[in-house]
Short mmCIF file of all heavy atoms in Angstrom, two decimals:
data_model
loop_
_atom_site.label_atom_id
_atom_site.label_comp_id
_atom_site.label_asym_id
_atom_site.label_seq_id
_atom_site.Cartn_x
_atom_site.Cartn_y
_atom_site.Cartn_z
N LEU A 16 2.43 -9.82 2.96
CA LEU A 16 3.69 -10.56 3.07
C LEU A 16 3.46 -11.94 3.69
O LEU A 16 4.02 -12.94 3.24
CB LEU A 16 4.69 -9.76 3.90
CG LEU A 16 6.11 -10.32 3.98
CD1 LEU A 16 6.73 -10.36 2.59
CD2 LEU A 16 6.95 -9.46 4.91
N ILE A 17 2.64 -12.00 4.74
CA ILE A 17 2.33 -13.28 5.38
C ILE A 17 1.61 -14.20 4.41
O ILE A 17 1.90 -15.41 4.33
CB ILE A 17 1.48 -13.04 6.64
CG1 ILE A 17 2.31 -12.32 7.71
CG2 ILE A 17 0.93 -14.35 7.19
CD1 ILE A 17 1.51 -11.87 8.92
N ALA A 18 0.65 -13.64 3.64
CA ALA A 18 -0.10 -14.46 2.68
C ALA A 18 0.82 -15.06 1.63
O ALA A 18 0.75 -16.25 1.31
CB ALA A 18 -1.19 -13.62 2.02
N VAL A 19 1.73 -14.24 1.07
CA VAL A 19 2.66 -14.73 0.06
C VAL A 19 3.59 -15.78 0.66
O VAL A 19 3.88 -16.83 0.04
CB VAL A 19 3.45 -13.57 -0.55
CG1 VAL A 19 4.55 -14.09 -1.47
CG2 VAL A 19 2.53 -12.63 -1.31
N GLY A 20 4.07 -15.55 1.88
CA GLY A 20 4.94 -16.53 2.53
C GLY A 20 4.25 -17.85 2.77
O GLY A 20 4.84 -18.93 2.56
N ALA A 21 3.00 -17.81 3.21
CA ALA A 21 2.24 -19.04 3.46
C ALA A 21 2.02 -19.81 2.17
O ALA A 21 2.15 -21.05 2.12
CB ALA A 21 0.91 -18.71 4.12
N LEU A 22 1.70 -19.09 1.10
CA LEU A 22 1.49 -19.75 -0.19
C LEU A 22 2.78 -20.39 -0.70
O LEU A 22 2.77 -21.49 -1.26
CB LEU A 22 0.94 -18.74 -1.20
CG LEU A 22 -0.48 -18.24 -0.94
CD1 LEU A 22 -0.82 -17.08 -1.89
CD2 LEU A 22 -1.50 -19.36 -1.12
N THR A 23 3.89 -19.69 -0.54
CA THR A 23 5.17 -20.23 -0.98
C THR A 23 5.52 -21.49 -0.20
O THR A 23 5.97 -22.50 -0.77
CB THR A 23 6.27 -19.18 -0.79
OG1 THR A 23 5.92 -17.99 -1.51
CG2 THR A 23 7.60 -19.69 -1.30
N ALA A 24 5.32 -21.45 1.12
CA ALA A 24 5.61 -22.64 1.95
C ALA A 24 4.72 -23.81 1.55
O ALA A 24 5.18 -24.96 1.49
CB ALA A 24 5.39 -22.29 3.42
N LEU A 25 3.45 -23.52 1.25
CA LEU A 25 2.54 -24.58 0.83
C LEU A 25 2.99 -25.19 -0.49
O LEU A 25 2.96 -26.43 -0.66
CB LEU A 25 1.11 -24.04 0.71
CG LEU A 25 0.03 -25.02 0.30
CD1 LEU A 25 -0.10 -26.14 1.33
CD2 LEU A 25 -1.31 -24.31 0.14
N ALA A 26 3.42 -24.37 -1.44
CA ALA A 26 3.87 -24.88 -2.74
C ALA A 26 5.12 -25.73 -2.58
O ALA A 26 5.26 -26.78 -3.22
CB ALA A 26 4.12 -23.71 -3.68
N ILE A 27 6.06 -25.29 -1.72
CA ILE A 27 7.29 -26.07 -1.50
C ILE A 27 6.96 -27.41 -0.85
O ILE A 27 7.49 -28.47 -1.24
CB ILE A 27 8.27 -25.27 -0.63
CG1 ILE A 27 8.75 -24.03 -1.40
CG2 ILE A 27 9.45 -26.13 -0.21
CD1 ILE A 27 9.61 -23.09 -0.57
N ALA A 28 6.08 -27.40 0.15
CA ALA A 28 5.71 -28.64 0.83
C ALA A 28 5.06 -29.62 -0.13
O ALA A 28 5.35 -30.82 -0.13
CB ALA A 28 4.78 -28.33 2.00
N LEU A 29 4.18 -29.11 -0.98
CA LEU A 29 3.50 -29.97 -1.94
C LEU A 29 4.50 -30.58 -2.93
O LEU A 29 4.41 -31.76 -3.28
CB LEU A 29 2.42 -29.18 -2.69
CG LEU A 29 1.61 -29.95 -3.74
CD1 LEU A 29 0.84 -31.09 -3.10
CD2 LEU A 29 0.65 -29.01 -4.47
N SER A 30 5.46 -29.78 -3.39
CA SER A 30 6.44 -30.29 -4.36
C SER A 30 7.36 -31.34 -3.73
O SER A 30 7.83 -32.24 -4.42
CB SER A 30 7.27 -29.13 -4.91
OG SER A 30 7.99 -28.49 -3.86
N LEU A 31 7.61 -31.23 -2.40
CA LEU A 31 8.44 -32.22 -1.73
C LEU A 31 7.69 -33.53 -1.52
O LEU A 31 8.26 -34.62 -1.66
CB LEU A 31 8.92 -31.68 -0.38
CG LEU A 31 9.93 -30.51 -0.45
CD1 LEU A 31 10.23 -29.99 0.95
CD2 LEU A 31 11.21 -30.96 -1.15
N VAL A 32 6.41 -33.43 -1.17
CA VAL A 32 5.60 -34.64 -0.94
C VAL A 32 5.27 -35.32 -2.25
O VAL A 32 5.35 -36.55 -2.39
CB VAL A 32 4.33 -34.28 -0.17
CG1 VAL A 32 3.42 -35.50 -0.03
CG2 VAL A 32 4.68 -33.71 1.21
#
Side-chain angles (χ1 to χ4, degrees):
L16 187 62
I17 292 172
V19 172
L22 292 171
T23 303
L25 181 62
I27 294 174
L29 180 62
S30 62
L31 292 175
V32 175

